[in-house]
């Protein structure tokens, strides 16, 4: 038996945008997925900061050693990339795959202590 994540309409953070990489708008990506490259299974992300929601579409991602480097549609220069450093990348909980009975996502365990 499998179960779906609780609160499927809520946003779940899958990663964070790091520093600029190169001159074409690429960014270092900190992934919270397991394995880290699993974040590439998602292309559409939201980010909510200071009450403003932004949408991002990841069109390319590469593994570079232990790091992930990603490019997002419409971010094509270091100046544009600097504007999004530190933003969290979120997806609706309903987009997460169902887990087997007895397994949980980290966000489901928050606040249970």
């Amino acid at each position: 038996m499998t179960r779906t994540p609780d609160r499927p309409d809520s946003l779940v953070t899958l990663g964070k945008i790091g520093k600029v990489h190169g001159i074409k708008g690429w960014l270092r990506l900190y992934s919270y997925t397991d394995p880290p490259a699993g974040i590439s299974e998602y292309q559409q992300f939201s980010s909510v900061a200071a009450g403003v929601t932004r949408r991002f579409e990841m069109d390319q991602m590469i593994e570079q050693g232990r790091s992930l480097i990603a490019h997002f549609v419409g971010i094509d220069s270091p100046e544009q990339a600097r504007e999004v450093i530190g933003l969290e990348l979120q997806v609706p909980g309903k987009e997460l795959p169902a887990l087997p009975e007895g397994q949980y996502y980290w966000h489901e365990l928050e606040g249970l202590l």
Side-chain angles (χ1 to χ4, degrees):
M1 180 175 180
T2 60
R3 57 176 196 72
T4 56
D6 293 336
R7 300 180 308 164
D9 294 335
S10 64
L11 292 175
V12 177
T13 302
L14 297 184
K16 185 175 181 178
I17 297 174
K19 65 182 182 176
V20 177
H21 182 85
I23 61 170
K24 295 186 178 181
W26 286 68
L27 292 146
R28 185 169 308 277
L29 192 62
Y30 299 103
S31 174
Y32 305 148
T33 63
D34 184 24
I39 198 169
S40 68
E41 294 176 24
Y42 305 87
Q43 282 80 42
Q44 304 290 324
F45 298 94
S46 294
S47 182
V48 181
V52 177
T53 301
R54 292 184 67 169
R55 308 266 185 237
F56 294 94
E57 180 180 350
M58 182 169 53
D59 60 352
Q60 296 180 60
M61 188 192 83
I62 57 172
E63 293 182 62
Q64 191 174 61
R66 292 182 167 181
S67 299
L68 299 174
I69 309 298
H71 183 265
F72 296 90
V73 173
I75 300 177
D76 298 313
S77 70
E79 294 77 24
Q80 291 172 316
R82 279 189 206 94
E83 294 176 12
V84 299
I85 291 173
L87 294 180
E88 293 183 330
L89 297 173
Q90 302 170 318
V91 298
K94 66 183 176 190
E95 290 187 18
L96 299 176
L99 294 175
E101 190 67 35
Q103 291 187 7
Y104 300 89
Y105 286 105
W106 283 106
H107 75 275
E108 296 174 316
L109 302 174
E110 292 175 347
L112 291 180
L113 293 177

